[in-house]
Amino acid sequence: MSKTEKIIRIVSGFTIFAVILSLGLFAYSPWNIPIIAVPCTILYILGKEISRIIFLKSDHVKRCVVLAKTYISQLIFCAVLYVLGRGMNELMLHIADRNFSSTDLLFALGLLILGIINEVLLACLKPKPVATTSGVFQQRNYTISFQPEPITIDNFYSDPFWGHKNNPDLIKGDLKKIEEAERRLGVILPPLLKELYLKQNGGMAQNLYVPIVDNPGNDNSDWRWVFSPGYEYLNPTERLCNLKGSCLLGMDEDEIEQEGDFLKNAEKYIVLCKRYSDVTFLDYSGPGEPRVGVVDFDKIDPKNVWFNDFEQFFKALRRGELE
């Protein structure tokens, strides 16, 4: 995610927060809560890639269920902010209750319009498809300037994990942490991965790529980002989990079952890093050493790549900057 995208998302999130809070702060009717939850529901599904894809793939009944669940969660969110605003009004402003009127609908309409504008801006920031001579469309390509040094255990990490900063005990590599993760997951981690965890307990590993073609050049189309932009880290040992467990944080069992092949071996995929459905993981579904997959399960990014083992994956890593 680019800096501009982050700024747009932060501003839009703050705007939604401020609008709903202001309804309570200025003593607007509580009937605004179920109304304002409608655009919040629409914008949530539009803004969350995995929710949007599940919604589009579902049948009519499933869509109604997704809408209902999302609406209820947004209704609770709006109610909490509204009550907080009313409390602030009682403490500071003492504005008398306002009766509900048709003009109150402008809050919901305005929020929906701003949200749609926000999603359009974000869509415009994504690389535009360009036609090739064969008529096939692909993402606009860039050149990558690679560092000459190979990736090693000593230079793999660029920073501690974001949740470990200011806590040396969490940053420090420890064999006990590794063994605890293995017991919890029921797997044996690859030796080279263990060395990385002994060096540091996970952390930021930015600007890493692996090739997706033989004899790659410096063109971006020849390479695949190992960890998705904005999520460029190796999970610490305590955050390691299988793909099904990770998906359950944003999906329910019915949604997982509906995905079919998407989660066929999800319990045997150990997530090293995950952004929505773009996942770097260890595949324990076969015998011997686990494979390493760098896969977009939504099939939005066709640059999926597999490695026979973690050593092969690590050897292929290169660090570079887009130009």
Side-chain angles (χ1 to χ4, degrees):
M1 185 184 297
S2 68
K3 184 177 181 180
T4 303
E5 287 179 278
K6 289 181 180 178
I7 291 174
I8 291 175
R9 290 198 179 279
I10 291 172
V11 171
S12 62
F14 178 80
T15 301
I16 292 173
F17 182 91
V19 168
I20 301 172
L21 189 69
S22 68
L23 291 175
L25 183 63
F26 296 105
Y28 282 88
S29 169
W31 283 109
N32 281 284
I33 298 174
I35 294 173
I36 205 75
V38 173
C40 288
T41 299
I42 297 171
L43 296 177
Y44 180 88
I45 293 175
L46 285 176
K48 294 288 186 179
E49 190 173 26
I50 184 66
S51 297
R52 183 171 68 249
I53 291 170
I54 290 172
F55 183 80
L56 292 174
K57 285 182 178 180
S58 303
D59 56 30
H60 294 304
V61 174
K62 187 63 178 179
R63 287 178 184 175
C64 291
V65 173
V66 171
L67 279 173
K69 288 183 177 180
T70 307
Y71 178 77
I72 291 171
S73 65
Q74 294 304 306
L75 184 65
I76 294 171
F77 168 74
C78 294
V80 170
L81 286 182
Y82 178 86
V83 171
L84 180 61
R86 287 301 295 257
M88 294 170 64
N89 173 56
E90 293 294 328
L91 289 173
M92 298 181 296
L93 302 181
H94 307 293
I95 297 175
D97 290 353
R98 302 172 187 260
N99 293 324
F100 181 79
S101 67
S102 59
T103 58
D104 288 7
L105 297 174
L106 295 176
F107 283 106
L109 180 61
L111 192 63
L112 181 60
I113 292 172
L114 287 174
I116 292 174
I117 292 173
N118 170 72
E119 292 301 323
V120 170
L121 287 175
L122 290 172
C124 291
L125 289 173
K126 293 182 179 180
K128 301 296 187 297
V130 295
T132 64
T133 54
S134 64
V136 177
F137 283 81
Q138 63 182 27
Q139 294 294 324
R140 190 178 300 278
N141 294 329
Y142 298 90
T143 300
I144 305 175
S145 177
F146 288 106
Q147 296 179 5
E149 300 84 6
I151 299 300
T152 66
I153 293 173
D154 290 330
N155 67 15
F156 174 82
Y157 294 111
S158 50
D159 220 353
F161 181 64
W162 56 266
H164 287 177
K165 290 186 176 181
N166 305 319
N167 194 329
D169 290 336
L170 294 177
I171 296 173
K172 182 181 178 181
D174 189 330
L175 183 58
K176 290 182 179 180
K177 296 177 183 177
I178 299 172
E179 292 174 344
E180 171 58 31
E182 290 179 323
R183 283 194 297 271
R184 176 169 51 83
L185 298 169
V187 301
I188 300 298
L189 297 177
L192 184 53
L193 179 58
K194 290 184 183 182
E195 291 186 49
L196 284 173
Y197 279 131
L198 287 173
K199 176 71 176 180
Q200 181 177 298
N201 185 25
M204 309 308 294
Q206 295 165 313
N207 301 321
L208 292 180
Y209 296 83
V210 289
I212 59 171
V213 297
D214 295 330
N215 303 314
N218 281 32
D219 196 284
N220 180 51
S221 63
D222 292 347
W223 298 83
R224 174 55 149 107
W225 232 311
V226 173
F227 305 126
S228 298
Y231 291 71
E232 298 177 87
Y233 57 78
L234 172 65
N235 267 327
T237 53
E238 67 271 16
R239 286 174 61 98
L240 289 175
C241 65
N242 63 42
L243 182 56
K244 181 176 181 179
S246 180
C247 288
L248 281 173
L249 297 175
M251 303 166 66
D252 59 32
E253 291 281 358
D254 291 338
E255 291 169 336
I256 289 177
E257 183 178 349
Q258 189 177 32
E259 288 301 313
D261 290 342
F262 167 47
L263 294 171
K264 182 178 180 181
N265 293 311
E267 293 183 350
K268 297 178 182 179
Y269 292 162
I270 304 303
V271 176
L272 301 179
C273 183
K274 179 176 180 290
R275 175 185 181 269
Y276 299 109
S277 295
D278 190 27
V279 190
T280 301
F281 60 96
L282 299 172
D283 174 16
Y284 285 89
S285 63
E289 286 287 316
R291 296 190 303 166
V292 177
V294 187
V295 176
D296 187 333
F297 286 97
D298 284 331
K299 300 178 182 179
I300 294 173
D301 187 342
K303 298 181 180 181
N304 296 331
V305 60
W306 292 85
F307 298 90
N308 291 331
D309 54 46
F310 191 82
E311 287 194 10
Q312 185 187 69
F313 162 75
F314 194 80
K315 186 177 181 181
L317 292 174
R318 295 286 302 278
R319 178 166 276 128
E321 295 277 355
L322 282 176
E323 293 184 340

